[in-house]
Amino acid sequence: QVTLVESGGGLVPAGGSLRLSCAASGRTFATRGVGWFRQAPGNEREFVAGIFWRSGTTYYDDSVKGRFTVSRDNSKNTAYLQMNSLRPEDTAVYYCAGTSRTSWNWRLDYEYDYWGQGAQVTVSS
């Protein structure tokens, strides 16, 4: 059983930055990957970025490449999503999710086991 708690959302102007945190507790030892998703009103939930927990290798959707960076602090069991050069179209509720699978498709939400509560990110134009 793993609990994920997100923090760091807020309101920023276009071009600004935010850093989201995703802190894990419980039996986290089996975690293999952490993904970040977002969902805007009226839209489907979409994959944003992910990190292989043990190696630190990252993967990004094209829409955020060069602007967002996913990282983790193993000792704190915390993942981060650094968001720079934010655009109004980045406005959404952002979710972190963890998977204990040894192989998975980043973009398939049903392959994740644990989800955060969501953090609202609003980018004004």
Side-chain angles (χ1 to χ4, degrees):
Q1 183 83 343
V2 175
T3 299
L4 303 180
V5 178
E6 299 179 47
S7 61
L11 173 65
V12 294
S17 298
L18 281 176
R19 188 180 75 161
L20 302 181
S21 297
C22 176
S25 61
R27 298 184 176 183
T28 63
F29 55 87
T31 301
R32 298 297 182 93
V34 173
W36 289 91
F37 292 78
R38 65 187 180 188
Q39 187 168 25
N43 289 10
E44 296 294 316
R45 185 161 57 191
E46 64 178 354
F47 173 80
V48 175
I51 185 167
F52 289 93
W53 198 254
R54 298 177 181 182
S55 70
T57 301
T58 56
Y59 175 65
Y60 299 93
D61 184 77
D62 285 344
S63 66
V64 304
K65 278 184 180 175
R67 300 189 298 123
F68 290 13
T69 302
V70 62
S71 62
R72 93 296 201 206
D73 185 330
N74 301 71
S75 66
K76 295 180 179 179
N77 289 314
T78 300
Y80 304 94
L81 184 67
Q82 178 67 47
M83 302 181 291
N84 299 328
S85 302
L86 283 162
R87 305 163 180 168
E89 52 264 43
D90 295 318
T91 295
V93 177
Y94 284 71
Y95 299 89
C96 61
T99 181
S100 59
R101 298 170 64 95
T102 55
S103 180
W104 66 95
N105 185 321
W106 287 111
R107 300 178 181 276
L108 300 179
D109 55 10
Y110 60 81
E111 294 194 350
Y112 295 80
D113 304 299
Y114 318 108
W115 289 83
Q117 83 280 12
Q120 177 68 52
V121 173
T122 302
V123 184
S124 60
S125 59

